[in-house]
Amino acid sequence: MSSASKMTQNRGGEKSHGCNLCAHSATSAAGLKIHMLVHTGEKPFSCKQCEFSCSTLGYLKKHILIHSGKKPFACKQCNYKCARATNLKSHMLTHSGVKRFICNQCSYTCTLSHHLKRHMLTHSGEKNFSCDQCSYTCTLAHHLREHMVTHSGEKPYSCNQCSYKFTRAAHLQRHMFSHSGKKLFGCD
């Protein structure tokens, strides 16, 4: 047994392997060994299609679904689809209206912790992504990808009902209202 673990017994008499660095406990020494990768930062499993790496084969198998394009998990309240059940569970919180995460610097609230983390970048001014063709900088990778089409002239988002093409998905979504007969902003 490593120095980073302690053996205990739970109420059912099963042996439990507890981590000495945090409150985690595993039912086997092998499970604890996998957990310890969280503390070492070691990520021995790598995706062959991108730069993603992780600590377990199970996580890697879940990640690989992203590349397959398969999205078997669908929201029953909107058209959201995803590759992982955990992503759908997080998404469902957006329909609850409960906003548990609150910014300590402004009145922003949100349902998901990673949305608050992303929002906090607006206060720090931290911009980790920069264009290699101009002086543009931004806080999010997808903003940089959207920006890059200004240099290429590419318009990857096409309307399936007419010949219009757009540089951003949001612009295509807004355009689609012109085909629906619905008003984008309704007045009484």
Side-chain angles (χ1 to χ4, degrees):
M1 189 73 37
S2 76
S3 62
S5 66
K6 54 187 179 266
M7 179 79 81
T8 59
Q9 279 189 313
N10 62 21
R11 283 186 242 161
E14 295 174 4
K15 291 182 179 175
S16 178
H17 301 264
C19 177
N20 282 340
L21 301 174
C22 72
H24 179 81
S25 65
T27 56
S28 68
L32 181 61
K33 186 177 179 182
I34 291 168
H35 163 74
M36 293 309 292
L37 296 174
V38 169
H39 298 297
T40 64
E42 186 181 349
K43 296 180 178 182
F45 299 94
S46 299
C47 179
K48 291 183 172 117
Q49 297 177 48
C50 72
E51 295 178 20
F52 177 82
S53 62
C54 58
S55 58
T56 70
L57 182 59
Y59 288 143
L60 180 60
K61 286 179 179 178
K62 288 177 183 178
H63 165 79
I64 289 171
L65 281 175
I66 292 169
H67 298 297
S68 73
K70 294 179 184 174
K71 295 183 176 182
F73 301 97
C75 178
K76 293 178 181 170
Q77 296 182 28
C78 71
N79 61 359
Y80 177 81
K81 291 182 181 180
C82 56
R84 299 180 186 168
T86 55
N87 291 2
L88 179 60
K89 187 177 178 181
S90 292
H91 165 78
M92 294 307 293
L93 293 172
T94 64
H95 294 298
S96 72
V98 177
K99 295 184 176 183
R100 301 180 311 146
F101 300 96
I102 303 164
C103 177
N104 62 7
Q105 296 183 40
C106 72
S107 60
Y108 178 81
T109 60
C110 55
T111 55
L112 303 173
S113 62
H114 69 272
H115 288 177
L116 179 59
K117 188 175 180 180
R118 183 176 63 200
H119 165 77
M120 294 307 290
L121 294 172
T122 64
H123 295 298
S124 71
E126 185 180 335
K127 295 183 177 182
N128 293 327
F129 301 94
S130 58
C131 179
D132 60 3
Q133 297 180 41
C134 71
S135 60
Y136 177 81
T137 60
C138 57
T139 56
L140 301 171
H142 79 269
H143 287 172
L144 180 58
R145 283 192 299 273
E146 287 178 343
H147 164 79
M148 293 309 289
V149 300
T150 64
H151 296 297
S152 69
E154 179 188 7
K155 293 185 176 183
Y157 303 99
S158 302
C159 178
N160 61 7
Q161 297 183 36
C162 71
S163 61
Y164 274 66
K165 292 184 177 187
F166 303 89
T167 57
R168 296 187 179 185
H171 296 169
L172 173 59
Q173 288 173 334
R174 186 176 58 209
H175 164 79
M176 294 308 290
F177 277 97
S178 69
H179 295 295
S180 70
K182 296 177 184 175
K183 291 183 178 179
L184 187 56
F185 302 102
C187 300
D188 289 336

